[in-house]
Amino acid sequence: MRGLPTGIFKSLRIAFKNLFRPNMVIQYPKQRAIIPERARWAVEIKPAQDGSHRCQACRICEGACPHHCIKLDITTAEDRSKHIDHWWFDRGSCMMCGLCVEACPFDAIRMGHDYELAHADPALLVLDLLPDTPAYVRPKPARPVDPNAGDTDA
Ligand code: SF4
Ligand code: SF4
């Protein structure tokens, strides 16, 4: 059938097929996407079981971030205890690579699942995740007691 616009029939065939396919889109914001378990969005402080944090202010995450999105302001007291004044996180610059989470030796941070992160004002994308907080101090394990300690046998 020379001369007929075959492209029209092709597109009609595709349109007809798609009538019977399941929807590929959701009606956001009435419907919400199901986020895969391993999806990565912004960095957040991982709460411990008791609701506290486990950040020991070691700054390893700061050095691990290739985009310099993390900056900790820390005060060290005379007894060498640390206090986190600010735990700055620039969400606008974060590329959500997860390198900081992998680098943290204390499992103190994680990649969040909240994907509604946009803001009209870029200044609101810089967050203080741990404002004015003492750094976590890991309790020292108790020393084993020597049962023979104190024996005075000659
Ligand atoms: S989040 Fe982890 S790596 Fe970063 S300062 Fe705290 S303990 Fe160190
Ligand atoms: S996820 Fe990547 S870019 Fe974002 S703060 Fe961590 S290391 Fe930096």
Side-chain angles (χ1 to χ4, degrees):
M1 303 241 287
R2 261 176 113 189
L4 272 180
T6 52
I8 291 176
F9 293 111
K10 267 189 190 171
S11 55
L12 279 175
R13 197 179 70 222
I14 291 168
F16 189 73
K17 263 189 187 172
N18 281 330
L19 281 178
F20 300 99
R21 283 188 176 153
N23 279 342
M24 300 297 285
V25 293
I26 57 166
Q27 299 297 316
Y28 181 83
K30 285 182 190 161
Q31 294 174 337
R32 300 292 161 114
I34 297 168
I35 305 298
E37 183 61 29
R38 296 181 66 193
R40 296 193 303 249
W41 268 268
V43 176
E44 59 186 28
I45 302 294
K46 183 174 177 179
Q49 275 184 343
D50 59 2
S52 65
H53 70 89
R54 286 288 179 269
C55 179
Q56 300 189 28
C58 66
R59 287 202 151 119
I60 290 175
C61 54
E62 215 181 61
C65 176
H67 251 205
H68 309 292
C69 307
I70 298 174
K71 165 106 181 45
L72 275 77
D73 293 332
I74 298 165
T75 310
T76 308
E78 277 183 18
D79 62 356
R80 300 181 69 192
S81 63
K82 290 181 183 172
H83 184 90
I84 304 167
D85 302 329
H86 304 284
W87 204 112
W88 296 117
F89 169 55
D90 185 353
R91 201 166 68 188
S93 300
C94 177
M95 55 184 176
M96 290 147 194
C97 62
L99 289 176
C100 54
V101 174
E102 282 182 36
C104 176
F106 306 112
D107 199 21
I109 48 178
R110 68 183 177 192
M111 303 304 293
H113 270 185
D114 181 9
Y115 57 88
E116 293 169 311
L117 306 173
H119 251 298
D121 182 358
L124 296 176
L125 294 172
V126 180
L127 310 168
D128 189 355
L129 299 187
L130 277 178
D132 196 14
T133 316
Y136 175 72
V137 181
R138 197 174 359 190
K140 286 185 181 160
R143 284 189 178 174
V145 180
D146 182 357
N148 299 322
D151 282 2
T152 54
D153 292 349

